[in-house]
């Protein structure tokens, strides 16, 4: 499909047209012209990009889809539909499925199921068999089959020796371990942030210490093996400080943060709304400020959705027994806009850096390059509701809320999807 986008502002620090208002022409999946006053051809679809931003297509580092085995939560079709609506042209999916993605068979299943989609679906293999943290999974075979990284999902790797061996082995073939930071012996069965709020709620608090001790361990191991470690979903002031120092010391540490941890705080739990129950838990305002500062100074490399779909029977229950997580693919952009990120920062943290961390080709808004982009209006208001929620699940505290920042179209793999 041939497409002409007129008067759109480009947000791509890798492009000579960054922050310039331009017309962009796409022919047969290639950006063939960028300029001003481009004339529309007869066979072109024209989109008025006035007031809109064109960014490299977003890429999510941290997404659960449930397929295979938990398709009642989300399958590849619904996940990619939600991803497109959120501006994502690629998602890396976690291995917490049934069976767990711990061999090349499961990796190949996901790749084949998602083939030909506008949204690229790239599997993350498990670090350990069945994500039990005891026996190494088939890391090298999975990478050869198409796995882009390795993670035990939302389960932390508690055995220090096992983590050390996994790092040493993955280093041999440039594999990246993406780890969830939680010292389980300290975290226990805590469900909310340890603070005055947890006392008022009468619930056992999860201290920031549990996250920060785990990150400290992984920094030591990354130093010892001179191997890269990616920390997923950091949430505390202390975590930012630890990673900032490690990077300054030249240690191969990277990290991401979930979009909701940049906006939501623990005070939202006062009504015991289980849709705000996430892991790591919502933290204090001081933590949010530190996370935002860490994003802007480069300490935090990327933003992820931490998309966690659940059936209603797992969320519409008492807070203490509710499952962790929210659906988030369609709300990342509005949350980043609400958090105060500008268009270039959004492009860096949501499109460029996530791909760079995984060693993937980064789309560039440049003539002659493959077209892979997202167009959104940062000031358009819309209501997120059951009619435009493309996920199979509905566990989001933002449903039926007015949001600012609307995806208008996405383009990838010679496919165009537009949204009103």
């Amino acid at each position: 499909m041939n497409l002409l986008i007129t008067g759109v502002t480009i947000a791509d620090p890798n492009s000579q047209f960054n922050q310039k208002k331009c017309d962009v022409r796409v022919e047969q999946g290639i950006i063939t012209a960028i300029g001003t006053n481009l004339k529309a051809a007869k066979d072109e679809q024209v989109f008025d990009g006035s007031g809109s931003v064109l960014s490299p297509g977003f890429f999510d580092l941290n997404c659960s889809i449930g397929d295979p085995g938990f398709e009642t939560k989300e399958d590849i079709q619904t996940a990619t539909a939600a991803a497109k609506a959120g501006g994502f042209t690629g998602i890396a999916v976690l291995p917490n499925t049934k069976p767990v993605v711990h061999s090349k068979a499961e990796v190949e299943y996901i790749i084949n199921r998602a083939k030909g989609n506008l949204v690229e679906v790239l599997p993350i293999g498990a670090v350990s068999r069945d994500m039990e943290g005891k026996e190494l999974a088939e890391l090298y075979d999975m990478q050869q089959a198409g796995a882009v990284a390795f993670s035990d999902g939302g389960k932390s790797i508690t055995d220090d020796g096992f983590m050390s061996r996994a790092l040493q082995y993955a280093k041999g073939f440039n594999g990246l371990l993406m780890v969830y930071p939680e010292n389980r012996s300290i975290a226990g069965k805590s469900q909310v942030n340890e603070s005055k709020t947890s006392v008022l709620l009468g619930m056992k608090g999860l201290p920031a210490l549990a996250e920060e001790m785990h990150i400290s361990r992984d920094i030591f191991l990354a130093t010892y093996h001179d191997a890269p470690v990616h920390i997923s979903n950091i949430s505390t002031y202390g975590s930012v400080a630890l990673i900032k120092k490690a990077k300054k010391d030249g240690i191969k540490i990277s990290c991401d943060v979930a979009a909701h941890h940049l906006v939501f705080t623990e005070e939202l739990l006062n009504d015991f709304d289980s849709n705000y129950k996430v892991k790591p838990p919502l933290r204090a305002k001081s933590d949010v400020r530190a996370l935002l500062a860490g994003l802007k100074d480069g300490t935090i490399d990327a933003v992820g959705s931490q998309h966690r779909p659940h059936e209603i029977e797992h969320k519409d229950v008492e807070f203490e027994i509710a499952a962790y997580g929210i659906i988030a693919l369609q709300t990342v952009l509005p949350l980043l806009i609400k958090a105060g990120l500008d268009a270039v920062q959004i492009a860096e943290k949501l499109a460029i850096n996530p791909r760079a961390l995984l060693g993937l080709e980064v789309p560039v808004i440049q003539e002659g390059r493959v077209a892979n982009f997202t167009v959104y209006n940062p000031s358009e208001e819309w209501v997120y509701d059951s009619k435009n929620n493309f996920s199979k699940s509905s566990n989001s505290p933002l449903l039926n809320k007015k949001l600012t920042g609307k995806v208008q179209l996405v383009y990838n793999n010679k496919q165009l999807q537009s949204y009103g």
Side-chain angles (χ1 to χ4, degrees):
M1 174 179 288
N2 296 338
L3 173 69
L4 178 64
I5 303 170
T6 61
V8 72
T9 299
I10 293 173
D12 179 5
N14 294 327
S15 170
Q16 70 187 80
F17 301 100
N18 186 37
Q19 297 183 287
K20 294 180 180 178
K21 192 172 181 179
C22 301
D23 302 337
V24 179
R25 170 169 282 132
V26 178
E27 297 177 275
Q28 299 301 311
I30 303 295
I31 299 172
T32 57
I34 301 176
T36 55
N37 300 316
L38 298 182
K39 302 298 182 184
K42 289 182 180 179
D43 62 342
E44 281 184 326
Q45 181 173 334
V46 179
F47 177 82
D48 181 2
S50 303
S52 299
V53 172
L54 188 150
S55 162
F58 302 157
F59 187 94
D60 188 24
L61 278 174
N62 199 290
C63 180
S64 289
I65 60 172
D67 191 354
F70 298 117
E71 291 90 349
T72 53
K73 298 176 184 290
E74 195 86 279
D75 56 36
I76 287 175
Q77 183 178 357
T78 57
T80 53
K84 281 187 287 189
F88 293 94
T89 59
I91 55 176
V93 296
L94 293 169
N96 47 319
T97 50
K98 189 176 183 180
V100 168
V101 181
H102 58 196
S103 74
K104 67 178 182 179
E106 295 87 24
V107 170
E108 289 169 348
Y109 166 84
I110 292 171
I111 290 172
N112 289 330
R113 286 274 289 170
K115 195 173 292 183
N117 205 297
L118 183 153
V119 179
E120 296 167 81
V121 181
L122 303 177
I124 296 172
V127 178
S128 62
R129 289 194 63 80
D130 291 319
M131 301 196 309
E132 292 179 345
K134 297 176 181 177
E135 180 185 350
L136 273 176
E138 299 175 7
L139 305 189
Y140 180 73
D141 286 350
M142 286 192 286
Q143 188 194 60
Q144 293 301 298
V148 293
F150 306 99
S151 169
D152 275 356
K155 295 179 71 174
S156 58
I157 297 173
T158 58
D159 187 313
D160 302 339
F162 177 83
M163 180 64 183
S164 179
R165 292 188 294 276
L167 264 183
Q168 188 174 25
Y169 179 59
K171 180 184 177 182
F173 56 89
N174 296 317
L176 177 66
L177 268 57
M178 303 172 67
V179 296
Y180 176 72
E182 182 183 83
N183 184 307
R184 286 191 227 164
S185 63
I186 289 177
K189 296 182 179 179
S190 306
Q191 301 191 359
V192 298
N193 184 44
E194 183 181 78
S195 65
K196 292 179 181 178
T197 299
S198 63
V199 175
L200 289 171
L201 294 175
M203 300 181 73
K204 188 171 177 2
L206 198 163
L209 179 67
E211 178 173 310
E212 293 157 14
M213 279 186 68
H214 208 271
I215 289 174
S216 296
R217 182 206 71 175
D218 289 335
I219 289 172
F220 277 116
L221 289 174
T223 305
Y224 180 74
H225 291 293
D226 190 27
V229 176
H230 181 84
I231 313 294
S232 299
N233 307 318
I234 71 167
S235 67
T236 75
Y237 176 97
S239 296
V240 176
L242 284 167
I243 293 168
K244 186 173 185 175
K245 182 180 185 304
K247 285 190 168 189
K248 186 177 179 181
D249 292 342
I251 300 166
K252 296 173 181 176
I253 290 286
S254 57
C255 66
D256 66 64
V257 62
H260 46 264
H261 278 110
L262 299 173
V263 176
F264 298 159
T265 58
E266 60 186 347
E267 288 80 10
L268 292 167
L269 300 178
N270 289 335
D271 293 329
F272 295 96
D273 183 349
S274 63
N275 280 323
Y276 285 109
K277 183 178 180 180
V278 293
K279 195 171 185 180
L282 300 182
R283 302 288 190 179
K285 292 177 181 177
S286 57
D287 294 304
V288 171
R289 287 194 293 269
L291 292 169
L292 287 169
L295 263 183
K296 292 173 182 177
D297 69 16
T299 300
I300 300 175
D301 300 274
V303 176
S305 73
Q306 207 189 34
H307 182 73
R308 302 289 186 271
H310 292 294
E311 304 91 340
I312 190 170
E313 60 265 29
H314 292 293
K315 290 297 277 188
D316 192 15
V317 291
E318 293 86 351
F319 189 92
E320 289 193 9
I321 62 173
Y324 291 100
I326 63 176
I327 56 169
L329 284 166
Q330 292 181 236
T331 55
V332 171
L333 176 65
L335 287 178
L336 294 190
I337 290 171
K338 186 172 184 178
L341 273 69
D342 62 33
V344 174
Q345 290 168 334
I346 290 171
E348 288 176 339
K349 305 299 183 180
L350 205 56
I352 297 169
N353 291 0
R355 289 183 173 91
L357 285 167
L358 298 179
L360 303 174
E361 183 177 354
V362 176
V364 180
I365 310 304
Q366 199 78 25
E367 291 177 355
R369 298 296 293 264
V370 172
N372 180 344
F373 57 75
T374 298
V375 177
Y376 64 91
N377 187 320
S379 58
E380 182 177 345
E381 295 182 339
W382 61 290
V383 175
Y384 181 39
D385 58 26
S386 59
K387 295 177 183 177
N388 56 29
N389 172 32
F390 292 96
S391 173
K392 190 175 282 189
S393 298
S394 58
N395 52 303
S396 170
L398 295 174
L399 274 174
N400 302 311
K401 302 284 178 66
K402 184 183 288 186
L403 306 176
T404 301
K406 181 76 164 57
V407 172
Q408 296 172 309
L409 60 85
V410 287
Y411 191 104
N412 187 34
N413 290 335
K414 299 183 181 180
Q415 299 174 56
L416 170 70
Q417 179 69 55
S418 60
Y419 298 94

